Amino acid sequence: MDSPLMRLCEREWFSAPSSTRFCDPGDRFIPTRSLMNLDLAHCLLTTKDSTRIPDQSTILTPKEEYRRKLEESLTLDAEGKPFRMLVFKPSPRSCKKGLFLVDEMMQDEKKPSRTLRRIPLIADRILDGPKLMDDYYLNLLDWGKNNILAIALGPSLYLWNATNNEVHLLLRIENEEDYPSSVSWSDDGRTLAVGFASSIIELWDTAALCKVRILEGHMARVGSLSWNNKILTSGSRDTSIINHDVRSFGRSTSYFGGHTQEVCGLRWSSSGNLLASGGNDNIVHVWESSKMGSSKFLHRFTDHTAAVRALAWCPFQSHRLASGGGTADQCIKIWNTQSGKCIQSTNTGAQVCALEWNRHQKEILSAHGYNQNQLSLWTYPSMSKVADLGGHTARVLHLSQSPDGSTVVSAAADETIRFWKVFEPPSSSSSRSSIDESDNLFSLKRMHIR
Protein backbone atom coordinates (compact mmCIF):
# COMPACT_ATOMS: atom_id res chain seq x y z
CA MET A 1 0.00 0.00 0.00
CA ASP A 2 1.33 3.40 -0.96
CA SER A 3 2.31 5.85 1.75
CA PRO A 4 0.32 9.09 2.24
CA LEU A 5 3.29 11.05 0.95
CA MET A 6 3.37 9.03 -2.30
CA ARG A 7 -0.33 9.54 -2.83
CA LEU A 8 0.13 13.26 -2.21
CA CYS A 9 2.89 13.43 -4.81
CA GLU A 10 0.82 11.46 -7.34
CA ARG A 11 -2.01 13.96 -7.09
CA GLU A 12 0.45 16.64 -8.23
CA TRP A 13 -0.97 19.46 -6.20
CA PHE A 14 0.23 22.41 -8.16
CA SER A 15 0.30 26.12 -7.45
CA ALA A 16 -0.55 27.30 -10.94
CA PRO A 17 1.12 30.48 -12.05
CA SER A 18 -1.36 33.33 -12.18
CA SER A 19 -1.16 36.19 -14.62
CA THR A 20 1.08 38.06 -12.21
CA ARG A 21 3.52 35.10 -12.04
CA PHE A 22 4.08 34.74 -15.78
CA CYS A 23 7.82 34.54 -16.50
CA ASP A 24 7.84 34.94 -20.32
CA PRO A 25 9.89 38.07 -21.13
CA GLY A 26 7.22 38.98 -23.71
CA ASP A 27 7.44 40.66 -27.10
CA ARG A 28 8.02 44.29 -27.97
CA PHE A 29 5.14 44.55 -30.47
CA ILE A 30 2.84 41.60 -29.79
CA PRO A 31 0.77 41.79 -26.55
CA THR A 32 0.88 38.81 -24.21
CA ARG A 33 -2.61 37.43 -23.95
CA SER A 34 -2.06 35.52 -20.72
CA LEU A 35 -1.23 38.76 -18.89
CA MET A 36 -4.43 40.53 -19.91
CA ASN A 37 -7.61 40.81 -17.92
CA LEU A 38 -9.89 40.19 -20.87
CA ASP A 39 -13.13 40.46 -18.90
CA LEU A 40 -12.30 43.96 -17.68
CA ALA A 41 -11.05 44.98 -21.13
CA HIS A 42 -14.28 43.78 -22.75
CA CYS A 43 -16.35 45.65 -20.17
CA LEU A 44 -14.52 48.90 -20.78
CA LEU A 45 -14.80 48.58 -24.55
CA THR A 46 -18.54 47.86 -24.51
CA THR A 47 -19.46 50.48 -21.90
CA LYS A 48 -21.50 53.33 -23.34
CA ASP A 49 -20.03 56.83 -23.45
CA SER A 50 -22.82 58.09 -21.20
CA THR A 51 -21.40 56.06 -18.32
CA ARG A 52 -17.89 57.45 -18.65
CA ILE A 53 -16.56 59.89 -16.10
CA PRO A 54 -17.99 63.36 -16.73
CA ASP A 55 -15.98 66.51 -16.90
CA GLN A 56 -14.75 67.85 -13.55
CA SER A 57 -16.76 71.04 -14.03
CA THR A 58 -19.99 69.03 -13.99
CA ILE A 59 -21.78 68.89 -10.66
CA LEU A 60 -22.41 65.24 -9.80
CA THR A 61 -25.22 63.82 -7.78
CA PRO A 62 -24.29 61.51 -4.87
CA LYS A 63 -25.24 58.49 -7.00
CA GLU A 64 -23.06 59.65 -9.89
CA GLU A 65 -20.15 60.40 -7.54
CA TYR A 66 -20.39 56.91 -6.07
CA ARG A 67 -20.40 55.44 -9.59
CA ARG A 68 -17.31 57.51 -10.52
CA LYS A 69 -15.30 56.29 -7.54
CA LEU A 70 -16.42 52.70 -8.16
CA GLU A 71 -15.19 52.89 -11.75
CA GLU A 72 -11.83 54.29 -10.59
CA SER A 73 -11.42 51.34 -8.25
CA LEU A 74 -12.32 48.82 -10.92
CA THR A 75 -9.88 50.25 -13.48
CA LEU A 76 -6.78 49.57 -11.35
CA ASP A 77 -4.77 46.39 -11.81
CA ALA A 78 -3.68 43.97 -9.06
CA GLU A 79 -0.69 46.16 -8.16
CA GLY A 80 -2.79 49.33 -7.81
CA LYS A 81 -1.57 50.85 -11.08
CA PRO A 82 -3.79 52.14 -13.93
CA PHE A 83 -5.18 49.25 -15.93
CA ARG A 84 -3.37 48.50 -19.19
CA MET A 85 -5.53 46.90 -21.83
CA LEU A 86 -2.56 45.64 -23.89
CA VAL A 87 0.23 44.09 -21.84
CA PHE A 88 3.53 43.35 -23.54
CA LYS A 89 5.65 42.00 -20.64
CA PRO A 90 5.16 41.28 -16.97
CA SER A 91 6.48 43.19 -13.99
CA PRO A 92 9.96 41.92 -12.99
CA ARG A 93 8.93 41.81 -9.34
CA SER A 94 6.06 39.42 -10.03
CA CYS A 95 8.07 36.93 -12.09
CA LYS A 96 8.06 33.66 -10.19
CA LYS A 97 7.91 30.04 -11.21
CA GLY A 98 5.00 27.89 -10.19
CA LEU A 99 5.69 25.38 -7.45
CA PHE A 100 4.10 22.21 -6.24
CA LEU A 101 2.39 22.86 -2.93
CA VAL A 102 4.45 20.03 -1.46
CA ASP A 103 7.62 21.84 -2.50
CA GLU A 104 6.38 25.06 -0.92
CA MET A 105 5.64 23.20 2.31
CA MET A 106 9.10 21.64 2.32
CA GLN A 107 10.73 25.03 1.70
CA ASP A 108 8.86 26.49 4.67
CA GLU A 109 10.13 23.66 6.86
CA LYS A 110 13.72 24.32 5.81
CA LYS A 111 13.51 27.95 6.92
CA PRO A 112 15.04 28.38 10.40
CA SER A 113 12.32 29.02 12.94
CA ARG A 114 12.79 32.20 14.93
CA THR A 115 12.90 31.40 18.62
CA LEU A 116 11.64 34.05 20.97
CA ARG A 117 13.93 35.04 23.79
CA ARG A 118 12.59 34.57 27.28
CA ILE A 119 13.64 37.19 29.84
CA PRO A 120 13.17 35.80 33.35
CA LEU A 121 11.50 38.23 35.70
CA ILE A 122 12.35 36.17 38.78
CA ALA A 123 15.70 34.92 40.03
CA ASP A 124 16.84 31.45 39.01
CA ARG A 125 18.50 30.93 42.38
CA ILE A 126 18.72 32.72 45.73
CA LEU A 127 21.47 32.49 48.34
CA ASP A 128 21.42 34.01 51.79
CA GLY A 129 24.20 36.52 52.44
CA PRO A 130 24.08 37.49 56.11
CA LYS A 131 26.08 40.53 57.25
CA LEU A 132 26.52 41.87 53.71
CA MET A 133 27.53 45.49 54.30
CA ASP A 134 25.19 48.20 53.06
CA ASP A 135 27.92 50.53 51.77
CA TYR A 136 27.70 52.12 48.32
CA TYR A 137 31.47 52.71 48.10
CA LEU A 138 32.61 49.09 48.51
CA ASN A 139 32.97 46.31 45.92
CA LEU A 140 32.33 43.05 47.73
CA LEU A 141 31.40 40.61 44.93
CA ASP A 142 33.24 39.12 41.96
CA TRP A 143 32.74 36.02 39.77
CA GLY A 144 36.00 34.59 38.44
CA LYS A 145 36.82 32.69 35.28
CA ASN A 146 37.23 29.58 37.45
CA ASN A 147 33.45 29.74 38.03
CA ILE A 148 33.92 30.59 41.70
CA LEU A 149 32.06 33.47 43.32
CA ALA A 150 33.89 35.52 45.94
CA ILE A 151 31.68 37.40 48.40
CA ALA A 152 32.62 39.40 51.51
CA LEU A 153 30.09 39.12 54.34
CA GLY A 154 31.03 41.37 57.22
CA PRO A 155 34.45 40.27 58.58
CA SER A 156 34.46 37.06 56.50
CA LEU A 157 35.19 36.21 52.89
CA TYR A 158 33.54 33.17 51.29
CA LEU A 159 34.07 31.27 48.05
CA TRP A 160 31.06 29.63 46.40
CA ASN A 161 31.76 27.16 43.61
CA ALA A 162 29.01 27.46 40.98
CA THR A 163 29.92 24.08 39.49
CA ASN A 164 29.43 21.90 42.57
CA ASN A 165 27.79 24.36 45.02
CA GLU A 166 30.61 23.96 47.53
CA VAL A 167 31.26 26.82 49.97
CA HIS A 168 34.63 27.59 51.56
CA LEU A 169 35.56 30.17 54.15
CA LEU A 170 38.70 31.86 52.85
CA LEU A 171 39.37 34.28 55.71
CA ARG A 172 37.87 35.93 58.77
CA ILE A 173 39.08 39.14 60.42
CA GLU A 174 39.07 39.19 64.21
CA ASN A 175 39.72 42.92 64.48
CA GLU A 176 36.35 44.63 64.74
CA GLU A 177 37.64 47.78 63.04
CA ASP A 178 38.89 45.91 59.99
CA TYR A 179 36.96 44.08 57.27
CA PRO A 180 37.25 43.12 53.57
CA SER A 181 36.27 46.19 51.56
CA SER A 182 36.88 44.97 47.98
CA VAL A 183 37.49 41.74 46.06
CA SER A 184 38.68 41.05 42.51
CA TRP A 185 39.72 37.90 40.64
CA SER A 186 42.80 37.91 38.41
CA ASP A 187 42.27 37.48 34.68
CA ASP A 188 43.18 33.78 34.80
CA GLY A 189 41.05 33.10 37.91
CA ARG A 190 43.98 31.78 39.94
CA THR A 191 44.54 34.69 42.31
CA LEU A 192 42.07 36.63 44.40
CA ALA A 193 42.92 40.17 45.50
CA VAL A 194 41.27 41.37 48.71
CA GLY A 195 41.34 44.99 49.85
CA PHE A 196 40.81 45.85 53.51
CA ALA A 197 39.60 48.75 55.57
CA SER A 198 43.06 48.81 57.17
CA SER A 199 44.49 49.98 53.78
CA ILE A 200 46.37 46.77 52.87
CA ILE A 201 45.75 44.37 49.98
CA GLU A 202 46.19 40.61 50.23
CA LEU A 203 46.72 38.21 47.33
CA TRP A 204 45.34 34.68 47.85
CA ASP A 205 45.91 31.39 46.09
CA THR A 206 42.36 30.05 46.29
CA ALA A 207 43.27 26.54 45.13
CA ALA A 208 45.59 26.11 48.13
CA LEU A 209 43.51 28.45 50.34
CA CYS A 210 46.64 30.32 51.40
CA LYS A 211 47.77 33.94 51.39
CA VAL A 212 50.56 34.70 48.90
CA ARG A 213 51.44 38.38 49.35
CA ILE A 214 50.56 41.64 51.08
CA LEU A 215 50.57 44.88 49.10
CA GLU A 216 50.83 48.27 50.78
CA GLY A 217 50.86 51.91 49.79
CA HIS A 218 47.42 53.29 50.66
CA MET A 219 46.62 55.31 53.74
CA ALA A 220 42.91 54.43 54.03
CA ARG A 221 40.51 51.64 53.10
CA VAL A 222 40.78 50.07 49.66
CA GLY A 223 37.28 50.11 48.19
CA SER A 224 37.95 49.20 44.55
CA LEU A 225 40.23 46.80 42.65
CA SER A 226 40.76 45.90 38.99
CA TRP A 227 43.21 43.59 37.22
CA ASN A 228 45.06 44.16 33.93
CA ASN A 229 47.07 41.00 33.30
CA LYS A 230 49.84 41.16 35.96
CA ILE A 231 48.98 44.68 37.07
CA LEU A 232 46.59 45.10 39.99
CA THR A 233 45.08 48.58 40.28
CA SER A 234 43.59 49.72 43.57
CA GLY A 235 41.52 52.75 44.55
CA SER A 236 41.23 54.09 48.08
CA ARG A 237 39.49 56.53 50.36
CA ASP A 238 42.80 58.42 50.41
CA THR A 239 41.84 59.51 46.82
CA SER A 240 44.84 57.76 45.22
CA ILE A 241 45.04 55.06 42.54
CA ILE A 242 48.00 52.66 42.73
CA ASN A 243 49.16 50.21 40.04
CA HIS A 244 50.89 47.19 41.59
CA ASP A 245 53.07 44.90 39.47
CA VAL A 246 52.48 41.57 41.21
CA ARG A 247 55.47 39.96 39.45
CA SER A 248 57.88 42.12 41.40
CA PHE A 249 58.55 41.66 45.09
CA GLY A 250 60.23 45.05 45.26
CA ARG A 251 58.56 48.44 45.30
CA SER A 252 57.28 48.40 41.72
CA THR A 253 54.28 50.70 41.74
CA SER A 254 52.95 53.73 39.90
CA TYR A 255 50.32 56.25 40.85
CA PHE A 256 47.39 58.04 39.24
CA GLY A 257 46.30 61.20 41.00
CA GLY A 258 43.23 63.11 39.92
CA HIS A 259 40.34 62.44 42.30
CA THR A 260 39.67 64.64 45.31
CA GLN A 261 37.49 62.14 47.21
CA GLU A 262 37.25 58.37 47.64
CA VAL A 263 37.84 56.26 44.52
CA CYS A 264 34.89 53.85 44.51
CA GLY A 265 34.95 52.52 40.93
CA LEU A 266 37.75 51.03 38.80
CA ARG A 267 37.55 49.10 35.54
CA TRP A 268 40.22 48.21 32.98
CA SER A 269 39.13 47.85 29.36
CA SER A 270 39.31 44.38 27.78
CA SER A 271 42.26 45.47 25.65
CA GLY A 272 44.14 46.67 28.73
CA ASN A 273 44.90 50.03 27.16
CA LEU A 274 42.49 52.19 29.16
CA LEU A 275 41.49 52.42 32.81
CA ALA A 276 38.27 54.09 33.96
CA SER A 277 37.98 55.40 37.50
CA GLY A 278 34.99 56.88 39.32
CA GLY A 279 34.92 58.73 42.59
CA ASN A 280 32.82 60.33 45.25
CA ASP A 281 33.80 63.66 43.66
CA ASN A 282 31.29 62.93 40.84
CA ILE A 283 34.12 62.62 38.32
CA VAL A 284 35.07 59.90 35.82
CA HIS A 285 38.69 59.73 34.66
CA VAL A 286 40.07 57.70 31.76
CA TRP A 287 43.76 56.79 32.00
CA GLU A 288 46.19 55.28 29.50
CA SER A 289 48.25 52.23 30.44
CA SER A 290 51.19 53.62 28.50
CA LYS A 291 51.37 56.58 30.89
CA MET A 292 51.27 54.84 34.26
CA GLY A 293 54.12 56.91 35.61
CA SER A 294 52.19 60.11 34.99
CA SER A 295 49.08 61.56 36.59
CA LYS A 296 48.03 63.05 33.27
CA PHE A 297 44.62 61.62 32.38
CA LEU A 298 43.27 61.07 28.88
CA HIS A 299 39.74 62.31 29.66
CA ARG A 300 37.98 63.91 32.60
CA PHE A 301 34.17 63.62 32.57
CA THR A 302 32.30 65.94 34.93
CA ASP A 303 28.69 65.52 33.75
CA HIS A 304 27.53 63.39 36.69
CA THR A 305 26.06 65.15 39.72
CA ALA A 306 26.65 62.36 42.25
CA ALA A 307 29.25 59.73 43.10
CA VAL A 308 30.22 57.41 40.24
CA ARG A 309 30.77 53.80 41.22
CA ALA A 310 29.20 51.89 38.31
CA LEU A 311 31.61 51.54 35.37
CA ALA A 312 31.51 49.07 32.44
CA TRP A 313 33.37 48.87 29.13
CA CYS A 314 31.35 47.82 26.08
CA PRO A 315 32.43 44.34 24.87
CA PHE A 316 31.64 45.00 21.18
CA GLN A 317 32.76 48.65 20.90
CA SER A 318 36.11 49.05 22.62
CA HIS A 319 35.89 52.82 22.90
CA ARG A 320 32.49 52.90 24.61
CA LEU A 321 32.31 53.33 28.38
CA ALA A 322 29.15 53.24 30.48
CA SER A 323 28.98 55.01 33.84
CA GLY A 324 26.22 55.35 36.41
CA GLY A 325 25.65 58.06 39.00
CA GLY A 326 24.36 57.97 42.56
CA THR A 327 21.15 59.15 44.16
CA ALA A 328 21.43 62.81 43.14
CA ASP A 329 22.27 61.89 39.54
CA GLN A 330 20.41 58.66 38.63
CA CYS A 331 21.79 58.67 35.06
CA ILE A 332 23.51 56.11 32.87
CA LYS A 333 25.91 57.84 30.50
CA ILE A 334 27.65 56.34 27.47
CA TRP A 335 31.02 57.90 26.61
CA ASN A 336 33.06 57.84 23.43
CA THR A 337 36.61 57.63 24.77
CA GLN A 338 38.07 58.48 21.37
CA SER A 339 36.35 61.86 21.11
CA GLY A 340 35.86 62.37 24.85
CA LYS A 341 32.15 63.14 24.43
CA CYS A 342 28.99 61.83 26.04
CA ILE A 343 26.93 60.24 23.28
CA GLN A 344 23.98 59.04 25.38
CA SER A 345 22.46 59.95 28.75
CA THR A 346 19.49 58.13 30.28
CA ASN A 347 17.74 59.10 33.50
CA THR A 348 16.82 55.86 35.27
CA GLY A 349 14.89 57.44 38.12
CA ALA A 350 16.98 55.73 40.80
CA GLN A 351 20.48 55.41 42.20
CA VAL A 352 22.73 53.48 39.79
CA CYS A 353 24.92 51.05 41.76
CA ALA A 354 26.36 48.72 39.12
CA LEU A 355 26.40 48.04 35.36
CA GLU A 356 27.02 44.90 33.26
CA TRP A 357 27.04 44.59 29.46
CA ASN A 358 25.46 41.63 27.68
CA ARG A 359 28.13 39.80 25.67
CA HIS A 360 25.59 38.05 23.43
CA GLN A 361 23.32 40.95 22.48
CA LYS A 362 23.51 44.73 22.46
CA GLU A 363 22.10 45.29 25.94
CA ILE A 364 23.19 46.60 29.31
CA LEU A 365 21.92 45.66 32.77
CA SER A 366 21.79 48.17 35.60
CA ALA A 367 21.40 47.65 39.36
CA HIS A 368 19.49 50.28 41.28
CA GLY A 369 19.19 51.54 44.80
CA TYR A 370 16.91 54.06 46.42
CA ASN A 371 13.38 54.38 44.98
CA GLN A 372 13.51 51.15 42.95
CA ASN A 373 15.77 48.40 44.42
CA GLN A 374 15.66 46.40 41.18
CA LEU A 375 17.56 45.44 38.05
CA SER A 376 16.73 47.01 34.69
CA LEU A 377 17.61 45.75 31.21
CA TRP A 378 18.22 48.31 28.43
CA THR A 379 18.81 47.99 24.71
CA TYR A 380 21.82 49.67 23.15
CA PRO A 381 22.24 52.19 21.59
CA SER A 382 18.62 53.37 21.92
CA MET A 383 18.68 52.81 25.72
CA SER A 384 15.02 51.85 25.73
CA LYS A 385 14.00 49.73 28.68
CA VAL A 386 13.36 46.04 27.96
CA ALA A 387 12.34 44.76 31.40
CA ASP A 388 12.59 45.32 35.15
CA LEU A 389 13.72 42.44 37.35
CA GLY A 390 12.32 42.63 40.87
CA GLY A 391 12.76 40.58 44.00
CA HIS A 392 15.27 42.50 46.09
CA THR A 393 13.79 44.50 48.96
CA ALA A 394 16.76 46.82 49.48
CA ARG A 395 19.21 48.55 47.17
CA VAL A 396 21.10 46.28 44.77
CA LEU A 397 24.74 47.13 45.38
CA HIS A 398 26.72 44.59 43.35
CA LEU A 399 26.63 42.86 39.95
CA SER A 400 28.93 40.29 38.40
CA GLN A 401 28.77 38.01 35.36
CA SER A 402 29.39 34.29 34.94
CA PRO A 403 32.38 33.16 32.84
CA ASP A 404 30.13 32.20 29.90
CA GLY A 405 28.25 35.50 30.10
CA SER A 406 24.83 33.88 30.46
CA THR A 407 24.07 34.52 34.13
CA VAL A 408 24.33 37.64 36.27
CA VAL A 409 24.56 37.57 40.05
CA SER A 410 23.32 40.44 42.20
CA ALA A 411 23.91 41.16 45.87
CA ALA A 412 21.76 43.60 47.81
CA ALA A 413 21.46 45.21 51.21
CA ASP A 414 18.56 42.83 51.95
CA GLU A 415 21.30 40.21 52.51
CA THR A 416 20.31 38.06 49.55
CA ILE A 417 22.36 36.98 46.52
CA ARG A 418 20.29 36.30 43.41
CA PHE A 419 21.20 34.65 40.12
CA TRP A 420 19.50 35.79 36.91
CA LYS A 421 19.72 34.06 33.51
CA VAL A 422 18.97 37.36 31.86
CA PHE A 423 21.89 37.20 29.39
CA GLU A 424 21.26 33.59 28.39
CA PRO A 425 21.31 33.21 24.56
CA PRO A 426 18.01 31.99 23.05
CA SER A 427 17.96 28.21 22.73
CA SER A 428 16.69 26.39 19.63
CA SER A 429 13.18 24.98 19.71
CA SER A 430 14.50 21.50 18.96
CA SER A 431 16.66 21.44 22.08
CA ARG A 432 13.83 22.40 24.39
CA SER A 433 10.72 20.27 24.13
CA SER A 434 9.34 21.29 27.48
CA ILE A 435 9.40 24.20 29.86
CA ASP A 436 12.69 24.51 31.67
CA GLU A 437 12.66 23.86 35.37
CA SER A 438 13.92 27.37 36.05
CA ASP A 439 10.61 28.77 34.75
CA ASN A 440 8.88 27.42 37.81
CA LEU A 441 8.80 29.51 40.96
CA PHE A 442 9.21 26.36 43.06
CA SER A 443 12.53 25.54 41.38
CA LEU A 444 14.30 28.31 43.31
CA LYS A 445 16.88 26.63 45.51
CA ARG A 446 17.36 28.82 48.53
CA MET A 447 20.41 28.02 50.59
CA HIS A 448 22.92 29.73 52.88
CA ILE A 449 26.23 30.97 51.53
CA ARG A 450 27.88 29.71 54.70
Side-chain angles (χ1 to χ4, degrees):
M1 185 175 181
D2 296 337
S3 65
L5 181 60
M6 291 298 296
R7 294 200 306 271
L8 183 63
C9 293
E10 290 175 358
R11 292 180 61 180
E12 294 186 352
W13 288 10
F14 188 70
S15 178
S18 63
S19 60
T20 59
R21 290 185 176 181
F22 189 79
C23 293
D24 189 352
D27 189 90
R28 183 177 178 183
F29 301 103
I30 302 175
T32 305
R33 185 181 183 88
S34 60
L35 295 177
M36 300 180 188
N37 190 333
L38 299 179
D39 293 334
L40 180 57
H42 180 269
C43 178
L44 293 176
L45 289 173
T46 56
T47 301
K48 297 181 179 180
D49 293 340
S50 59
T51 61
R52 295 188 180 275
I53 300 174
D55 187 69
Q56 293 183 354
S57 60
T58 306
I59 300 177
L60 302 177
T61 63
K63 186 176 181 180
E64 293 173 337
E65 178 66 19
Y66 171 77
R67 184 182 182 87
R68 183 184 67 83
K69 290 184 177 181
L70 183 62
E71 288 183 356
E72 287 182 355
S73 300
L74 291 176
T75 54
L76 297 178
D77 61 12
E79 297 181 357
K81 298 179 180 180
F83 175 74
R84 293 184 299 170
M85 189 171 296
L86 300 178
V87 183
F88 294 89
K89 61 181 179 179
S91 172
R93 292 183 304 172
S94 61
C95 183
K96 183 179 179 181
K97 293 182 178 180
L99 294 174
F100 286 99
L101 292 181
V102 176
D103 296 334
E104 291 183 354
M105 293 166 60
M106 295 181 65
Q107 285 185 359
D108 291 339
E109 290 180 357
K110 291 180 181 179
K111 294 180 181 178
S113 58
R114 182 181 177 185
T115 57
L116 297 177
R117 179 179 166 214
R118 179 187 61 86
I119 299 177
L121 301 180
I122 59 175
D124 179 68
R125 184 170 216 160
I126 303 176
L127 304 179
D128 286 331
K131 297 184 179 180
L132 180 68
M133 297 185 66
D134 184 8
D135 193 325
Y136 179 79
Y137 302 97
L138 306 183
N139 292 270
L140 306 176
L141 176 74
D142 195 23
W143 200 336
K145 288 187 177 180
N146 52 6
N147 207 21
I148 297 178
L149 185 72
I151 176 76
L153 302 176
S156 305
L157 180 62
Y158 292 90
L159 303 178
W160 180 75
N161 192 318
T163 304
N164 54 26
N165 297 329
E166 291 183 356
V167 179
H168 295 282
L169 174 63
L170 183 66
L171 62 90
R172 176 174 289 139
I173 304 299
E174 300 299 335
N175 185 358
E176 295 181 357
E177 296 181 358
D178 196 11
Y179 52 86
S181 53
S182 57
V183 296
S184 180
W185 285 102
S186 61
D187 295 337
D188 57 9
R190 297 179 180 178
T191 306
L192 180 66
V194 186
F196 291 88
S198 59
S199 78
I200 66 170
I201 302 170
E202 293 182 355
L203 301 182
W204 284 76
D205 182 347
T206 57
L209 297 179
C210 65
K211 181 168 54 179
V212 178
R213 288 187 61 185
I214 296 179
L215 304 176
E216 298 177 336
H218 288 292
M219 304 299 294
R221 73 176 182 183
V222 181
S224 54
L225 296 167
S226 183
W227 287 86
N228 181 16
N229 199 3
K230 299 300 182 180
I231 301 297
L232 174 63
T233 303
S234 57
S236 172
R237 183 181 273 179
D238 64 11
T239 74
S240 68
I241 299 173
I242 301 180
N243 300 298
H244 311 266
D245 190 340
V246 299
R247 296 168 295 186
S248 173
F249 283 85
R251 188 175 178 82
S252 178
T253 58
S254 61
Y255 294 82
F256 287 144
H259 290 281
T260 58
Q261 294 190 42
E262 181 171 11
V263 181
C264 50
L266 284 176
R267 190 68 69 95
W268 278 101
S269 63
S270 58
S271 63
N273 297 327
L274 299 175
L275 170 71
S277 64
N280 195 31
D281 52 7
N282 311 343
I283 295 175
V284 177
H285 282 112
V286 177
W287 313 86
E288 294 176 286
S289 60
S290 59
K291 298 180 180 179
M292 281 190 177
S294 171
S295 290
K296 182 177 178 58
F297 49 79
L298 177 64
H299 297 298
R300 178 186 176 95
F301 302 137
T302 60
D303 293 13
H304 285 289
T305 58
V308 182
R309 175 177 173 267
L311 296 169
W313 290 95
C314 180
F316 43 84
Q317 288 182 305
S318 59
H319 292 280
R320 294 290 187 272
L321 172 67
S323 61
T327 306
D329 183 78
Q330 304 181 351
C331 290
I332 298 174
K333 297 184 184 294
I334 310 295
W335 307 91
N336 185 331
T337 57
Q338 286 183 318
S339 63
K341 296 181 179 180
C342 179
I343 59 176
Q344 183 80 16
S345 182
T346 304
N347 192 318
T348 65
Q351 179 188 46
V352 183
C353 301
L355 294 169
E356 284 289 335
W357 287 94
N358 187 345
R359 302 178 202 165
H360 306 290
Q361 302 191 46
K362 292 186 176 181
E363 297 172 338
I364 188 169
L365 184 70
S366 57
H368 297 283
Y370 298 120
N371 298 335
Q372 291 185 0
N373 303 329
Q374 66 183 15
L375 279 68
S376 296
L377 185 64
W378 312 81
T379 59
Y380 176 83
S382 65
M383 292 303 291
S384 58
K385 184 178 288 189
V386 178
D388 290 326
L389 285 65
H392 285 292
T393 57
R395 60 178 178 173
V396 187
L397 294 167
H398 310 285
L399 285 180
S400 191
Q401 200 167 158
S402 63
D404 62 359
S406 64
T407 305
V408 175
V409 60
S410 61
D414 59 6
E415 298 186 347
T416 64
I417 304 165
R418 298 171 186 258
F419 295 81
W420 313 82
K421 291 186 176 180
V422 64
F423 288 168
E424 190 173 22
S427 57
S428 61
S429 58
S430 60
S431 63
R432 291 187 62 185
S433 58
S434 60
I435 299 177
D436 187 61
E437 188 181 4
S438 62
D439 291 337
N440 194 335
L441 177 64
F442 299 102
S443 68
L444 298 180
K445 302 172 183 177
R446 192 180 181 95
M447 60 180 290
H448 291 277
I449 194 72
R450 61 173 185 176

